[in-house]
Short mmCIF file of all heavy atoms in Angstrom, two decimals:
data_model
loop_
_atom_site.label_atom_id
_atom_site.label_comp_id
_atom_site.label_asym_id
_atom_site.label_seq_id
_atom_site.Cartn_x
_atom_site.Cartn_y
_atom_site.Cartn_z
N MET I 239 0.84 -1.19 0.00
CA MET I 239 0.00 0.00 0.00
C MET I 239 0.87 1.24 0.00
O MET I 239 1.88 1.30 0.69
CB MET I 239 -0.89 -0.02 1.24
CG MET I 239 -2.02 0.97 1.16
SD MET I 239 -2.97 0.98 2.70
CE MET I 239 -2.10 2.22 3.61
N ALA I 240 0.46 2.23 -0.75
CA ALA I 240 1.25 3.46 -0.83
C ALA I 240 1.07 4.27 0.45
O ALA I 240 -0.04 4.48 0.91
CB ALA I 240 0.80 4.27 -2.02
N VAL I 241 2.20 4.65 1.02
CA VAL I 241 2.20 5.43 2.26
C VAL I 241 3.00 6.70 2.01
O VAL I 241 4.04 6.64 1.35
CB VAL I 241 2.84 4.61 3.42
CG1 VAL I 241 2.95 5.44 4.69
CG2 VAL I 241 2.04 3.35 3.68
N PRO I 242 2.52 7.87 2.46
CA PRO I 242 3.30 9.10 2.28
C PRO I 242 4.72 8.95 2.81
O PRO I 242 4.95 8.32 3.83
CB PRO I 242 2.52 10.12 3.10
CG PRO I 242 1.16 9.61 3.14
CD PRO I 242 1.26 8.11 3.10
N ARG I 243 5.66 9.54 2.05
CA ARG I 243 7.08 9.36 2.36
C ARG I 243 7.41 9.83 3.77
O ARG I 243 8.21 9.22 4.47
CB ARG I 243 7.92 10.11 1.34
CG ARG I 243 9.34 9.60 1.24
CD ARG I 243 10.10 10.26 0.12
NE ARG I 243 10.24 11.70 0.33
CZ ARG I 243 10.96 12.50 -0.43
NH1 ARG I 243 11.62 12.00 -1.46
NH2 ARG I 243 11.04 13.78 -0.19
N CYS I 244 6.78 10.92 4.20
CA CYS I 244 7.09 11.49 5.52
C CYS I 244 6.62 10.58 6.66
O CYS I 244 7.06 10.71 7.79
CB CYS I 244 6.49 12.87 5.67
SG CYS I 244 4.71 12.88 5.40
N LYS I 245 5.72 9.63 6.34
CA LYS I 245 5.21 8.74 7.40
C LYS I 245 6.08 7.51 7.59
O LYS I 245 5.90 6.77 8.55
CB LYS I 245 3.78 8.32 7.08
CG LYS I 245 2.76 9.41 7.37
CD LYS I 245 1.36 8.86 7.39
CE LYS I 245 0.38 9.94 7.83
NZ LYS I 245 -0.98 9.42 7.91
N LYS I 246 6.98 7.26 6.65
CA LYS I 246 7.89 6.13 6.77
C LYS I 246 9.16 6.58 7.51
O LYS I 246 9.80 7.57 7.13
CB LYS I 246 8.31 5.62 5.39
CG LYS I 246 7.31 4.71 4.74
CD LYS I 246 7.50 3.28 5.14
CE LYS I 246 6.45 2.40 4.47
NZ LYS I 246 6.09 1.26 5.30
N SER I 247 9.51 5.86 8.55
CA SER I 247 10.71 6.22 9.30
C SER I 247 11.96 5.89 8.49
O SER I 247 11.93 5.06 7.58
CB SER I 247 10.75 5.49 10.62
OG SER I 247 10.96 4.11 10.39
N LYS I 248 13.06 6.54 8.84
CA LYS I 248 14.34 6.29 8.15
C LYS I 248 14.73 4.83 8.29
O LYS I 248 15.24 4.21 7.36
CB LYS I 248 15.42 7.18 8.72
CG LYS I 248 15.35 8.62 8.25
CD LYS I 248 16.39 9.46 8.96
CE LYS I 248 16.22 10.92 8.58
NZ LYS I 248 17.08 11.78 9.42
N SER I 249 14.48 4.30 9.48
CA SER I 249 14.84 2.90 9.75
C SER I 249 14.06 1.96 8.84
O SER I 249 14.62 1.04 8.24
CB SER I 249 14.57 2.58 11.21
OG SER I 249 14.56 1.20 11.42
N LYS I 250 12.75 2.21 8.74
CA LYS I 250 11.88 1.37 7.92
C LYS I 250 12.33 1.42 6.45
O LYS I 250 12.40 0.40 5.76
CB LYS I 250 10.44 1.92 8.07
CG LYS I 250 9.33 0.95 7.76
CD LYS I 250 9.12 -0.06 8.84
CE LYS I 250 7.78 -0.76 8.66
NZ LYS I 250 7.80 -2.05 9.32
N LYS I 251 12.63 2.63 6.00
CA LYS I 251 13.07 2.82 4.62
C LYS I 251 14.38 2.07 4.36
O LYS I 251 14.53 1.40 3.35
CB LYS I 251 13.27 4.32 4.38
CG LYS I 251 13.08 4.73 2.95
CD LYS I 251 13.31 6.22 2.69
CE LYS I 251 12.86 7.14 3.79
NZ LYS I 251 12.95 8.56 3.40
N ARG I 252 15.32 2.20 5.30
CA ARG I 252 16.63 1.56 5.13
C ARG I 252 16.52 0.04 5.17
O ARG I 252 17.23 -0.65 4.45
CB ARG I 252 17.60 2.06 6.20
CG ARG I 252 18.05 3.48 5.93
CD ARG I 252 18.74 4.07 7.11
NE ARG I 252 19.03 5.48 6.87
CZ ARG I 252 19.41 6.32 7.83
NH1 ARG I 252 19.55 5.91 9.08
NH2 ARG I 252 19.65 7.56 7.54
N HIS I 253 15.62 -0.45 6.02
CA HIS I 253 15.39 -1.90 6.09
C HIS I 253 14.93 -2.42 4.74
O HIS I 253 15.39 -3.45 4.25
CB HIS I 253 14.37 -2.23 7.16
CG HIS I 253 14.96 -2.58 8.48
ND1 HIS I 253 15.32 -3.86 8.81
CD2 HIS I 253 15.27 -1.80 9.54
CE1 HIS I 253 15.82 -3.86 10.04
NE2 HIS I 253 15.81 -2.63 10.51
N ARG I 254 13.99 -1.72 4.14
CA ARG I 254 13.43 -2.13 2.85
C ARG I 254 14.49 -2.07 1.76
O ARG I 254 14.61 -2.97 0.93
CB ARG I 254 12.22 -1.24 2.50
CG ARG I 254 11.54 -1.58 1.21
CD ARG I 254 10.15 -0.94 1.10
NE ARG I 254 10.05 0.34 1.74
CZ ARG I 254 10.31 1.51 1.18
NH1 ARG I 254 10.73 1.57 -0.06
NH2 ARG I 254 10.15 2.63 1.85
N LYS I 255 15.27 -0.99 1.75
CA LYS I 255 16.30 -0.84 0.72
C LYS I 255 17.38 -1.91 0.85
O LYS I 255 17.91 -2.39 -0.15
CB LYS I 255 16.95 0.56 0.83
CG LYS I 255 16.03 1.69 0.46
CD LYS I 255 15.88 1.84 -1.03
CE LYS I 255 14.88 2.95 -1.33
NZ LYS I 255 14.51 2.99 -2.75
N ALA I 256 17.69 -2.28 2.08
CA ALA I 256 18.76 -3.25 2.31
C ALA I 256 18.36 -4.65 1.86
O ALA I 256 19.23 -5.47 1.52
CB ALA I 256 19.14 -3.26 3.78
N ALA I 257 17.07 -4.94 1.83
CA ALA I 257 16.61 -6.28 1.52
C ALA I 257 16.97 -6.69 0.09
O ALA I 257 17.29 -7.84 -0.17
CB ALA I 257 15.11 -6.37 1.72
N GLY I 258 16.92 -5.75 -0.85
CA GLY I 258 17.18 -6.11 -2.24
C GLY I 258 18.52 -5.62 -2.74
O GLY I 258 18.71 -5.48 -3.93
N ARG I 259 19.42 -5.35 -1.81
CA ARG I 259 20.71 -4.78 -2.23
C ARG I 259 21.54 -5.82 -2.97
O ARG I 259 21.71 -6.95 -2.52
CB ARG I 259 21.46 -4.28 -1.01
CG ARG I 259 22.64 -3.40 -1.38
CD ARG I 259 23.01 -2.52 -0.21
NE ARG I 259 22.06 -1.44 -0.05
CZ ARG I 259 21.88 -0.75 1.07
NH1 ARG I 259 22.56 -1.03 2.13
NH2 ARG I 259 21.01 0.23 1.12
N TYR I 260 22.08 -5.41 -4.11
CA TYR I 260 22.88 -6.30 -4.93
C TYR I 260 24.26 -6.46 -4.30
O TYR I 260 24.92 -5.46 -3.98
CB TYR I 260 23.01 -5.71 -6.34
CG TYR I 260 23.85 -6.52 -7.29
CD1 TYR I 260 23.44 -7.78 -7.70
CD2 TYR I 260 25.04 -6.02 -7.77
CE1 TYR I 260 24.20 -8.50 -8.58
CE2 TYR I 260 25.81 -6.74 -8.65
CZ TYR I 260 25.37 -7.99 -9.05
OH TYR I 260 26.14 -8.70 -9.91
N GLU I 261 24.69 -7.69 -4.13
CA GLU I 261 25.99 -7.93 -3.50
C GLU I 261 27.02 -8.53 -4.43
O GLU I 261 27.95 -9.21 -3.99
CB GLU I 261 25.79 -8.83 -2.27
CG GLU I 261 25.12 -8.08 -1.13
CD GLU I 261 25.02 -8.93 0.12
OE1 GLU I 261 25.39 -10.11 0.07
OE2 GLU I 261 24.61 -8.37 1.13
N GLY I 262 26.81 -8.34 -5.72
CA GLY I 262 27.79 -8.84 -6.67
C GLY I 262 27.60 -10.32 -6.96
O GLY I 262 26.74 -10.97 -6.39
N ILE I 263 28.41 -10.82 -7.89
CA ILE I 263 28.29 -12.21 -8.31
C ILE I 263 28.98 -13.09 -7.28
O ILE I 263 30.12 -12.82 -6.89
CB ILE I 263 28.94 -12.42 -9.70
CG1 ILE I 263 28.21 -11.55 -10.73
CG2 ILE I 263 28.87 -13.88 -10.10
CD1 ILE I 263 29.00 -11.32 -11.99
N GLU I 264 28.28 -14.12 -6.85
CA GLU I 264 28.90 -15.07 -5.93
C GLU I 264 29.73 -16.05 -6.74
O GLU I 264 29.23 -16.72 -7.63
CB GLU I 264 27.81 -15.83 -5.18
CG GLU I 264 27.43 -15.19 -3.88
CD GLU I 264 26.49 -16.06 -3.07
OE1 GLU I 264 26.85 -17.21 -2.82
OE2 GLU I 264 25.41 -15.57 -2.73
N SER I 265 31.00 -16.13 -6.40
CA SER I 265 31.85 -17.05 -7.12
C SER I 265 32.09 -18.29 -6.28
O SER I 265 32.15 -18.24 -5.06
CB SER I 265 33.18 -16.38 -7.47
OG SER I 265 33.90 -16.11 -6.29
N GLY I 266 32.25 -19.40 -6.96
CA GLY I 266 32.55 -20.66 -6.28
C GLY I 266 33.99 -21.04 -6.47
O GLY I 266 34.81 -20.26 -6.92
N VAL I 267 34.29 -22.25 -6.09
CA VAL I 267 35.66 -22.76 -6.24
C VAL I 267 35.60 -24.05 -7.06
O VAL I 267 34.73 -24.90 -6.84
CB VAL I 267 36.29 -23.03 -4.85
CG1 VAL I 267 37.65 -23.68 -4.99
CG2 VAL I 267 36.40 -21.75 -4.06
N CYS I 268 36.52 -24.17 -8.01
CA CYS I 268 36.59 -25.37 -8.84
C CYS I 268 36.95 -26.58 -7.98
O CYS I 268 37.92 -26.53 -7.24
CB CYS I 268 37.62 -25.16 -9.95
SG CYS I 268 37.84 -26.62 -10.98
N PRO I 269 36.16 -27.67 -8.06
CA PRO I 269 36.48 -28.84 -7.25
C PRO I 269 37.73 -29.59 -7.70
O PRO I 269 38.30 -30.38 -6.94
CB PRO I 269 35.23 -29.73 -7.40
CG PRO I 269 34.60 -29.29 -8.65
CD PRO I 269 34.92 -27.85 -8.82
N VAL I 270 38.15 -29.34 -8.95
CA VAL I 270 39.31 -30.05 -9.49
C VAL I 270 40.60 -29.33 -9.14
O VAL I 270 41.55 -29.94 -8.64
CB VAL I 270 39.15 -30.24 -11.01
CG1 VAL I 270 40.35 -31.01 -11.58
CG2 VAL I 270 37.85 -30.95 -11.34
N CYS I 271 40.66 -28.02 -9.40
CA CYS I 271 41.93 -27.31 -9.21
C CYS I 271 41.84 -26.23 -8.14
O CYS I 271 42.83 -25.53 -7.89
CB CYS I 271 42.38 -26.70 -10.54
SG CYS I 271 41.24 -25.47 -11.17
N ASN I 272 40.69 -26.09 -7.48
CA ASN I 272 40.51 -25.12 -6.39
C ASN I 272 40.76 -23.67 -6.80
O ASN I 272 41.16 -22.85 -5.98
CB ASN I 272 41.37 -25.49 -5.18
CG ASN I 272 40.84 -26.74 -4.50
OD1 ASN I 272 39.64 -26.89 -4.32
ND2 ASN I 272 41.74 -27.63 -4.14
N GLU I 273 40.52 -23.37 -8.06
CA GLU I 273 40.61 -22.00 -8.53
C GLU I 273 39.23 -21.35 -8.45
O GLU I 273 38.22 -22.03 -8.59
CB GLU I 273 41.09 -21.97 -10.00
CG GLU I 273 42.56 -22.29 -10.20
CD GLU I 273 43.46 -21.13 -9.86
OE1 GLU I 273 43.13 -19.98 -10.20
OE2 GLU I 273 44.51 -21.37 -9.24
N PRO I 274 39.15 -20.05 -8.21
CA PRO I 274 37.84 -19.40 -8.18
C PRO I 274 37.20 -19.38 -9.57
O PRO I 274 37.84 -19.02 -10.55
CB PRO I 274 38.13 -17.98 -7.70
CG PRO I 274 39.58 -17.77 -7.94
CD PRO I 274 40.24 -19.12 -7.87
N VAL I 275 35.94 -19.82 -9.64
CA VAL I 275 35.21 -19.84 -10.92
C VAL I 275 33.85 -19.19 -10.76
O VAL I 275 33.25 -19.24 -9.68
CB VAL I 275 35.04 -21.28 -11.45
CG1 VAL I 275 36.29 -21.79 -12.10
CG2 VAL I 275 34.54 -22.22 -10.37
N LEU I 276 33.37 -18.60 -11.82
CA LEU I 276 32.03 -18.03 -11.84
C LEU I 276 31.00 -19.16 -11.97
O LEU I 276 31.30 -20.19 -12.59
CB LEU I 276 31.88 -17.06 -13.03
CG LEU I 276 32.71 -15.78 -12.96
CD1 LEU I 276 32.67 -15.07 -14.29
CD2 LEU I 276 32.21 -14.87 -11.85
N PRO I 277 29.81 -19.01 -11.40
CA PRO I 277 28.81 -20.06 -11.51
C PRO I 277 28.34 -20.28 -12.95
O PRO I 277 28.22 -19.33 -13.72
CB PRO I 277 27.66 -19.56 -10.63
CG PRO I 277 27.88 -18.10 -10.48
CD PRO I 277 29.35 -17.88 -10.58
N HIS I 278 28.10 -21.52 -13.32
CA HIS I 278 27.65 -21.94 -14.64
C HIS I 278 28.65 -21.58 -15.73
O HIS I 278 28.27 -21.31 -16.88
CB HIS I 278 26.26 -21.38 -14.98
CG HIS I 278 25.24 -21.65 -13.90
ND1 HIS I 278 24.70 -20.68 -13.10
CD2 HIS I 278 24.71 -22.83 -13.49
CE1 HIS I 278 23.86 -21.24 -12.25
NE2 HIS I 278 23.85 -22.54 -12.46
N ARG I 279 29.94 -21.59 -15.38
CA ARG I 279 30.99 -21.33 -16.35
C ARG I 279 32.03 -22.44 -16.28
O ARG I 279 32.22 -23.03 -15.23
CB ARG I 279 31.69 -20.00 -16.04
CG ARG I 279 31.32 -18.86 -16.95
CD ARG I 279 29.90 -18.46 -16.84
NE ARG I 279 29.68 -17.02 -17.01
CZ ARG I 279 28.70 -16.38 -16.38
NH1 ARG I 279 27.94 -17.01 -15.53
NH2 ARG I 279 28.48 -15.12 -16.60
N VAL I 280 32.66 -22.70 -17.41
CA VAL I 280 33.75 -23.66 -17.44
C VAL I 280 34.96 -23.06 -16.71
O VAL I 280 35.24 -21.86 -16.84
CB VAL I 280 34.11 -24.01 -18.91
CG1 VAL I 280 35.33 -24.91 -18.97
CG2 VAL I 280 32.95 -24.66 -19.61
N CYS I 281 35.63 -23.87 -15.96
CA CYS I 281 36.83 -23.40 -15.25
C CYS I 281 37.90 -23.06 -16.27
O CYS I 281 38.23 -23.86 -17.15
CB CYS I 281 37.32 -24.49 -14.30
SG CYS I 281 38.83 -24.04 -13.44
N LYS I 282 38.47 -21.85 -16.14
CA LYS I 282 39.44 -21.39 -17.14
C LYS I 282 40.81 -22.04 -16.96
O LYS I 282 41.57 -22.13 -17.91
CB LYS I 282 39.59 -19.86 -17.05
CG LYS I 282 38.52 -19.14 -17.83
CD LYS I 282 38.71 -17.64 -17.73
CE LYS I 282 37.55 -16.92 -18.40
NZ LYS I 282 37.59 -15.48 -18.14
N SER I 283 41.13 -22.46 -15.76
CA SER I 283 42.48 -22.98 -15.53
C SER I 283 42.61 -24.46 -15.84
O SER I 283 43.68 -24.93 -16.18
CB SER I 283 42.93 -22.67 -14.11
OG SER I 283 41.97 -23.15 -13.19
N CYS I 284 41.50 -25.23 -15.71
CA CYS I 284 41.61 -26.67 -16.00
C CYS I 284 40.60 -27.16 -17.05
O CYS I 284 40.72 -28.27 -17.53
CB CYS I 284 41.49 -27.50 -14.73
SG CYS I 284 39.88 -27.41 -13.94
N GLY I 285 39.61 -26.35 -17.42
CA GLY I 285 38.67 -26.72 -18.47
C GLY I 285 37.60 -27.70 -18.04
O GLY I 285 37.00 -28.37 -18.87
N ASN I 286 37.33 -27.78 -16.73
CA ASN I 286 36.31 -28.71 -16.24
C ASN I 286 35.01 -27.99 -15.99
O ASN I 286 34.98 -26.82 -15.61
CB ASN I 286 36.78 -29.37 -14.94
CG ASN I 286 37.55 -30.62 -15.20
OD1 ASN I 286 36.98 -31.71 -15.29
ND2 ASN I 286 38.86 -30.48 -15.37
N TYR I 287 33.93 -28.72 -16.21
CA TYR I 287 32.60 -28.22 -15.84
C TYR I 287 31.77 -29.40 -15.39
O TYR I 287 31.63 -30.38 -16.12
CB TYR I 287 31.93 -27.52 -17.03
CG TYR I 287 30.57 -26.96 -16.67
CD1 TYR I 287 30.46 -25.84 -15.86
CD2 TYR I 287 29.40 -27.57 -17.11
CE1 TYR I 287 29.22 -25.33 -15.51
CE2 TYR I 287 28.16 -27.07 -16.77
CZ TYR I 287 28.07 -25.95 -15.97
OH TYR I 287 26.84 -25.45 -15.62
N LYS I 288 31.25 -29.34 -14.16
CA LYS I 288 30.47 -30.42 -13.56
C LYS I 288 31.23 -31.75 -13.62
O LYS I 288 30.73 -32.77 -14.11
CB LYS I 288 29.11 -30.56 -14.25
CG LYS I 288 28.12 -29.52 -13.79
CD LYS I 288 26.71 -29.85 -14.26
CE LYS I 288 25.71 -28.87 -13.66
NZ LYS I 288 24.35 -29.15 -14.09
N ASP I 289 32.48 -31.72 -13.18
CA ASP I 289 33.34 -32.90 -13.07
C ASP I 289 33.62 -33.57 -14.43
O ASP I 289 33.89 -34.76 -14.50
CB ASP I 289 32.76 -33.93 -12.09
CG ASP I 289 32.61 -33.35 -10.70
OD1 ASP I 289 33.46 -32.52 -10.33
OD2 ASP I 289 31.63 -33.69 -10.02
N LYS I 290 33.49 -32.80 -15.52
CA LYS I 290 33.80 -33.34 -16.83
C LYS I 290 34.80 -32.42 -17.52
O LYS I 290 34.68 -31.18 -17.40
CB LYS I 290 32.56 -33.44 -17.69
CG LYS I 290 31.76 -34.72 -17.49
CD LYS I 290 30.58 -34.73 -18.46
CE LYS I 290 29.57 -35.79 -18.07
NZ LYS I 290 28.32 -35.63 -18.83
N GLN I 291 35.72 -33.00 -18.29
CA GLN I 291 36.66 -32.21 -19.08
C GLN I 291 35.91 -31.71 -20.32
O GLN I 291 35.49 -32.51 -21.16
CB GLN I 291 37.86 -33.07 -19.49
CG GLN I 291 39.00 -32.28 -20.12
CD GLN I 291 39.82 -31.50 -19.10
OE1 GLN I 291 40.01 -31.95 -17.98
NE2 GLN I 291 40.29 -30.32 -19.46
N VAL I 292 35.71 -30.41 -20.40
CA VAL I 292 34.92 -29.85 -21.48
C VAL I 292 35.82 -29.23 -22.55
O VAL I 292 35.64 -29.45 -23.75
CB VAL I 292 33.92 -28.80 -20.94
CG1 VAL I 292 33.07 -28.24 -22.06
CG2 VAL I 292 33.02 -29.39 -19.86
N ILE I 293 36.80 -28.47 -22.14
CA ILE I 293 37.75 -27.87 -23.08
C ILE I 293 39.16 -28.23 -22.68
O ILE I 293 39.43 -28.51 -21.51
CB ILE I 293 37.58 -26.32 -23.17
CG1 ILE I 293 37.63 -25.70 -21.77
CG2 ILE I 293 36.32 -25.95 -23.90
CD1 ILE I 293 37.81 -24.19 -21.76
N THR I 294 40.05 -28.24 -23.65
CA THR I 294 41.46 -28.49 -23.34
C THR I 294 42.18 -27.16 -23.19
O THR I 294 42.04 -26.27 -24.01
CB THR I 294 42.13 -29.32 -24.45
OG1 THR I 294 41.83 -28.73 -25.70
CG2 THR I 294 41.65 -30.76 -24.44
N VAL I 295 42.92 -27.04 -22.10
CA VAL I 295 43.62 -25.79 -21.80
C VAL I 295 45.12 -26.02 -21.98
O VAL I 295 45.70 -26.95 -21.44
CB VAL I 295 43.33 -25.33 -20.34
CG1 VAL I 295 44.03 -24.01 -20.07
CG2 VAL I 295 41.83 -25.21 -20.12
N GLU I 296 45.70 -25.14 -22.81
CA GLU I 296 47.16 -25.23 -23.02
C GLU I 296 47.87 -24.44 -21.94
O GLU I 296 47.39 -23.40 -21.49
CB GLU I 296 47.54 -24.66 -24.38
CG GLU I 296 47.05 -25.49 -25.56
CD GLU I 296 45.97 -24.74 -26.36
OE1 GLU I 296 46.26 -23.70 -26.91
OE2 GLU I 296 44.83 -25.25 -26.38
N GLU I 297 49.01 -24.91 -21.52
CA GLU I 297 49.77 -24.21 -20.49
C GLU I 297 50.98 -23.52 -21.06
O GLU I 297 51.44 -23.81 -22.11
CB GLU I 297 50.22 -25.20 -19.40
CG GLU I 297 49.06 -25.46 -18.42
CD GLU I 297 49.00 -26.91 -17.97
OE1 GLU I 297 50.03 -27.44 -17.52
OE2 GLU I 297 47.92 -27.50 -18.09
ZN1 ZN E 1443 39.47 -26.01 -12.43
#
C-alpha cells in the first residue's frame, strides 16, 4: 500500500532498501583445481565443468 514518504521512518526505509541490495556475483571454487570460478561457467584454468573435461587448456 502506498504510504506518504514522511510517514515512513528512516529505519523502515533503510530496512526495505537493504533487503534487495545487490551484493555482486557469488563465485565458487573449482572442485578439481581449487581456482575461483564463476557459476555456470567452465573453469578457465583446467577446463572442467560439472566434473567433466569440457575444453582443453594449453599451459
Ligand atoms: Zn578447475
Side-chain angles (χ1 to χ4, degrees):
M239 195 184 89
V241 176
R243 201 173 63 173
C244 57
K245 283 195 174 182
K246 279 273 179 212
S247 69
K248 283 175 186 171
S249 165
K250 203 75 165 157
K251 208 181 323 188
R252 286 167 187 167
H253 265 272
R254 181 164 32 89
K255 292 282 176 190
R259 194 159 284 159
Y260 179 67
E261 287 185 354
I263 300 161
E264 268 188 55
S265 67
V267 174
C268 177
V270 181
C271 63
N272 289 318
E273 286 282 320
V275 282
L276 292 169
H278 308 112
R279 255 64 146 212
V280 175
C281 178
K282 276 181 186 171
S283 54
C284 66
N286 271 271
Y287 182 72
K288 282 192 174 180
D289 300 326
K290 275 183 194 169
Q291 189 76 35
V292 182
I293 52 166
T294 48
V295 182
E296 292 112 63
E297 279 141 51

